[in-house]
Amino acid sequence: MFRFLVTRISSSLFALLIITVIVFLLSHLSGSPVDALLPDDATQEQIDSFVREWGLDQPLWQQYLTFLVNAVQGNFGTSLKWPGEDAMGFVLDRMPATLKLGGLAILISVVIALPLGIAAAVYRGSAVDHGAQMFALLGQSMPNFWLGIILIWVFSVWLGWLPTSGMGTFAHAILPAVAIAWFQVSALARLTRSAMLEVLDAEYIKLARVKGVSEGMVVWKHALRNAAVVPLTYFGILAASILTGSVVIETVYSWPGMGWVALEAIRGRDFPVVQAVIIAYAVVYMLSNLFVDLLYVVVDPRIRRG
Amino acid sequence: MADSMINTPQSPGLWAKARNLPLIPLAVLLIVFIIPAFFAEYLAPHDPYVPNLRARLQPPVFFGGTWEFPMGTDRLGRDILSRILHGAWYVLAVSMIGITVGVVVGTTLGLVAGYARGWFDGLVMRLVDISLALPAMLLALALAASMGTSFLSVVIVVGFALWAYFARQVRAEVLLLRRSDFVERSMVAGSSHTRILFRHILPNVTNTIVVLATLQVGIAIMLDASLSFLGIGIPRPTPTWGLLVSDGRDFIATDWWISFFPGLAILLTVLSANMLGDWLRDKLDPRQRQV
């Protein structure tokens, strides 16, 4: 188990390192980083001190090291669009909003998808099963930004139940969280269904039934515990698509999180903030993957020994 | 006798095969996506770019509008239907070229890695892991901020999002194939590595590649649509579908049709592409059915 975790952590760190290389190279791709990272009306003095601070008169690999050392300390320079704001600090300020939305989306998708997938597997071939499969197919083909707009149309404009956009009360978070969760529900339900089908066929399930274990216990304890490993695999992907989803959905709902900042920064050509957002996203993503690995260990004893 | 009837595998005739074709998804895909992509110029009733201020915000037919603008017009008076039809070509081009990039890069690396093994295999698999661990959206954001956006940048993002799946799958199959009899005999017969790879191994992984590529069409279209919705896809004034949806975002309360129909086009296209992919997988590659 220890070796397993060490391998995972080191490969996460390696991937993170690659991301810093990509981000660093991209900031040089567009020409001089001075143009990308300083405002257009910077004085010669500012440029000189900037060049000295970031070692831009040094060879490329040394510049990268400087960048990396600064990045580790969270120093990505100051924002161009929001003057005086520290780039990373500004992004971190927005992070709780994104995490709140992502957490709610995960909660919604698990609460709906797990029972749906289990019911579809237990009542295989029934109306529930067909309904769940139709829903899964539809959910995976629906663009989430479009769904977001349609939800606003139906629930805010037409029915007037929920606010259209912005952040504030809990009601503000419902529509965006549902829009993000929609796709995950269909994917997760589909995976849960196929995993449960496989497990429900196993010998030890038959044995449990023969022994007279109640059907509820068989499904929810014996079968689910083993089937749960498969949906867990999906949680790694889930983190990625919630991240992607948050960029899109925060734009739809003007939810002031990291995704919204990223888009605003790109429109304002604010490269320090873009760099900070990408690295912050990557770190969140790697951490959530590590968390999934830990969950694996909890759920599946085979990994603990292997 | 009853046994033999059950057990004899029936070779289905052409008619039976045709009957099993998922006709509805195929028809939808043709009508919504492929035919418009190639014939938009002849099909579109209006010019998709030129504003017509006298026809601003016309509602669709059956919702108070006329047949002149079947899906209504946007706030500049441009016909929504014509814009969707003209956008299809760009959606098709981005997804097809992006998938081709993914297929070529992924297949080549997967073939060589699985065949050569050793350090190259290790390197490729490392890259696959990293690529799968990096959400394509992050690359898209970084590219948009540094290079600006263009057709090329979108294709790069799509290719980047997909290549690793092909590399991983192809490598796994090559690992099995290279130990098979026909490959070993070919080696004994003195075939060159190139010949073995491309004459003997590649034809055997083609089915896998085709199935995987079909299943990725939906993903590619969705990625392209998300990028153009965010304004980091193919730049204006190209009427890509994601951009058309975002055009109507602020008008949803009053003029719902601006966003509704382009989004419907995306939904129908991706849905039928996914259904076709599922069907093809069951036909060509039953082993992947569980995925």
Side-chain angles (χ1 to χ4, degrees), chain B residues 32-129:
Chain B
V32 179
F33 188 40
I34 296 171
I35 294 177
F38 289 100
F39 301 106
E41 277 181 42
Y42 309 104
L43 294 171
H46 300 274
D47 188 295
Y49 298 105
V50 177
N52 176 1
L53 292 179
R54 269 179 304 170
R56 290 178 69 236
L57 297 173
Q58 295 286 320
V61 66
F62 303 132
F63 292 91
T66 61
W67 277 106
E68 203 195 344
F69 304 104
M71 293 181 181
T73 58
D74 64 9
R75 59 186 179 203
L76 295 179
R78 294 172 298 192
D79 179 41
I80 302 285
L81 175 64
S82 302
R83 282 170 73 72
I84 294 178
L85 292 174
H86 276 271
W89 164 251
Y90 296 96
V91 179
L92 183 86
V94 163
S95 53
M96 289 306 129
I97 298 176
I99 289 175
T100 308
V101 170
V103 166
V104 171
V105 174
T107 306
T108 314
L109 288 178
L111 273 178
V112 178
Y115 187 74
R117 307 294 310 272
W119 65 269
F120 187 75
D121 188 26
L123 178 72
V124 170
M125 289 323 283
R126 243 305 106 100
L127 287 177
V128 165
D129 284 343

Side-chain angles (χ1 to χ4, degrees), chain A residues 15-269:
Chain A
L16 211 53
L17 201 66
I18 298 286
I19 297 179
T20 61
V21 173
I22 293 176
V23 167
F24 170 77
L25 287 180
L26 282 177
S27 70
H28 284 70
L29 206 69
S30 54
S32 163
V34 173
D35 298 333
L37 295 168
L38 280 182
D40 292 335
D41 54 353
T43 62
Q44 190 58 41
E45 230 166 84
Q46 279 174 314
I47 294 178
D48 287 344
S49 81
F50 182 78
V51 166
R52 237 175 297 119
E53 187 194 345
W54 292 85
L56 295 181
D57 43 1
Q58 310 280 316
L60 203 60
W61 64 271
Q62 273 190 358
Q63 289 184 35
Y64 171 69
L65 284 185
T66 315
F67 171 78
L68 190 64
V69 169
N70 279 318
V72 169
Q73 295 164 346
N75 177 12
F76 289 87
T78 46
S79 163
L80 309 181
K81 187 182 158 86
W82 296 279
E85 293 275 1
D86 173 56
M88 190 47 116
F90 189 67
V91 171
L92 289 181
D93 277 348
R94 308 263 51 104
M95 192 185 265
T98 294
L99 292 184
K100 223 183 281 173
L101 204 55
L104 191 59
I106 291 180
L107 191 72
I108 292 175
S109 45
V110 171
V111 165
I112 296 176
L114 277 188
L116 195 64
I118 293 171
V122 172
Y123 305 107
R124 185 182 190 174
S126 69
V128 178
D129 188 17
H130 289 301
Q133 290 199 53
M134 284 287 288
F135 177 79
L137 197 61
L138 202 65
Q140 287 190 307
S141 310
M142 195 177 291
N144 55 2
F145 50 89
W146 185 66
L147 176 70
I149 293 175
I150 299 294
L151 286 177
I152 295 179
W153 183 32
V154 174
F155 290 98
S156 309
V157 178
W158 203 18
L159 298 172
W161 290 351
L162 295 163
T164 50
S165 63
M167 196 170 78
T169 60
F170 177 70
H172 283 90
I174 296 176
L175 287 186
V178 168
I180 295 177
W182 196 278
F183 178 86
Q184 330 303 335
V185 170
S186 39
L188 206 56
R190 206 165 155 170
L191 269 174
T192 310
R193 175 181 176 273
S194 67
M196 280 298 278
L197 278 180
E198 208 157 290
V199 171
L200 283 172
D201 253 2
E203 291 294 324
Y204 71 89
I205 296 290
K206 286 176 196 155
L207 178 70
R209 285 190 175 135
V210 171
K211 279 197 324 193
V213 178
S214 73
E215 190 60 27
M217 275 291 269
V218 168
V219 170
W220 288 95
K221 185 140 181 267
H222 296 244
L224 184 59
R225 172 114 196 206
N226 277 281
V229 178
V230 177
L232 264 187
T233 331
Y234 181 71
F235 260 76
I237 311 169
L238 187 74
S241 55
I242 284 193
L243 181 159
T244 311
S246 77
V247 175
V248 175
I249 295 299
E250 282 176 12
T251 307
V252 174
Y253 288 91
S254 311
W255 181 272
M258 285 161 67
W260 176 83
V261 167
L263 263 298
E264 288 293 312
I266 286 176
R267 279 189 203 124
R269 308 206 64 76

Side-chain angles (χ1 to χ4, degrees), chain B residues 266-279:
Chain B
I266 301 173
L267 170 64
L268 290 176
T269 304
V270 174
L271 184 65
S272 43
N274 282 347
M275 287 171 82
L276 279 180
D278 281 347
W279 173 81

Side-chain angles (χ1 to χ4, degrees), chain B residues 105-251:
Chain B
V105 174
T107 306
T108 314
L109 288 178
L111 273 178
V112 178
Y115 187 74
R117 307 294 310 272
W119 65 269
F120 187 75
D121 188 26
L123 178 72
V124 170
M125 289 323 283
R126 243 305 106 100
L127 287 177
V128 165
D129 284 343
I130 291 170
S131 176
L132 291 179
L134 271 183
M137 185 58 81
L138 290 191
L139 182 73
L141 293 176
L143 273 180
S146 61
M147 285 168 56
T149 56
S150 60
F151 187 84
L152 183 68
S153 73
V154 182
V155 167
I156 291 176
V157 171
V158 174
F160 171 85
L162 303 181
W163 77 273
Y165 294 98
F166 291 97
R168 196 172 56 174
Q169 190 78 29
V170 168
R171 171 185 173 271
E173 303 229 339
V174 173
L175 284 183
L176 291 176
L177 284 170
R178 72 194 290 269
R179 307 188 58 180
S180 64
D181 281 345
F182 66 90
V183 169
E184 286 185 351
R185 283 178 198 168
S186 180
M187 276 181 189
V188 173
S191 303
S192 68
H193 290 311
T194 342
R195 187 178 163 82
I196 294 176
L197 264 181
F198 289 96
R199 286 290 302 226
H200 298 297
I201 293 185
L202 184 60
N204 278 292
V205 295
T206 318
N207 271 7
T208 310
I209 297 172
V210 170
V211 169
L212 207 53
T214 320
L215 287 169
Q216 310 281 26
V217 172
I219 299 177
I221 293 177
M222 202 73 104
L223 187 56
D224 164 60
S226 303
L227 295 185
S228 46
F229 175 79
L230 292 174
I232 55 177
I234 304 179
R236 282 173 194 280
T238 310
T240 57
W241 290 351
L243 193 94
L244 295 184
V245 175
S246 97
D247 268 349
R249 204 186 104 206
D250 297 331
F251 300 89

